[in-house]
Amino acid sequence: MLFGCIEGGGTKMVLALMDDERRVVKREVIPTAFPGETLPKMLDFFRGESISALGIAFFGPLGLDPESADHGHVLATPKPGWEGTDVLGFFRRGLNVPCGIDTDVNAAALGEARYGASRGAGVSVYVTVGTGIGGGVTVGGKALHGGAHPEWGHIPLRVHPEDPMPEGVCPFHRGCLEGLASGPAIEKRWGIPAAMLPGDHIAWKLESDYLAQMCTHALMLLSAQRIVLGGGVMHREELLPMVRERTKEYLGGYLRSPNALDLEKTIVRPELFPLSGLYGAYILAKNALEET
Ligand code: ADP
Ligand code: ZN
């Protein structure tokens, strides 16, 4: 049996066919242009491959309420041309197989929860710190949705007193997580790409403070048992230990549960990089097939 898997990002679309054993048997990457051009190319990849189901892990925000008319549509994205696009409907009509959709980060959270760093964690969070910041949540192996999906990147934070750019770069909010701590925020604040900043630069003190506030929310609000931090900015080796250290300070010795006491085990890197999202799409495809 073959499953179609899509990891759809703002810059590229990763397309794959995976077999029952979770092996990638065919893969292609195409740039994300306008939907009228990109979606038909994606469809061509899957057509004629006799897939049993399709899983779509896609950049958000997405409508994810199955009862709503905007289910599977891209909502208010700044990505030109994509707002209002019915991604789920396009593939359902084009392939005529069961299709499941979720955000790229919910999918990555699902992938890590089933096969990777969050195995065994009843509540897990996956956060990508890259061009944007997004986070997905799993509870008991299922992605958390509520009205749509968590918007982890846009929680307001307490701005660090030494931050020369307290407003951040988000067009919607002043001082939200993505606006303060994404790769472009770091670059705008210091005038140098994040990857080129020296390890002892104050940028990392600010960055670890912001990410630690986020981890503290995950621990306080959700009692998360695993917080997986991925994305390009986390390639900076020194950052993760600094985030754990600062999180411990924010917790102030208040939480006594094992997840809060052992942050080395709780705040971790992805195990499935760079396939967390694609494995999540595989789970979405399998779930879609089971639900038919
Ligand atoms: P995207 O979010 O677009 O999918 P990435 O997760 O790779 O892509 O994140 C890209 C961001 O990560 C860029 O803003 C870049 O500056 C930053 N980045 C990449 N490598 C590093 C590094 N070694 N240290 C810090 N930041 C990095
Ligand atoms: Zn915001």
Side-chain angles (χ1 to χ4, degrees), residues 127 129 211 214-215 227-231 234 240 243 267-270:
V127 180
V129 187
L211 297 178
M214 180 271 287
C215 291
I227 303 168
V228 182
L229 299 183
M234 294 310 301
L240 188 65
V243 173
I267 306 176
V268 298
R269 297 181 195 284

Side-chain angles (χ1 to χ4, degrees), residues 35-48:
E37 179 189 342
T38 306
L39 288 174
K41 279 190 192 158
M42 294 166 75
L43 195 60
D44 284 345
F45 175 87
F46 295 109
R47 266 201 180 131

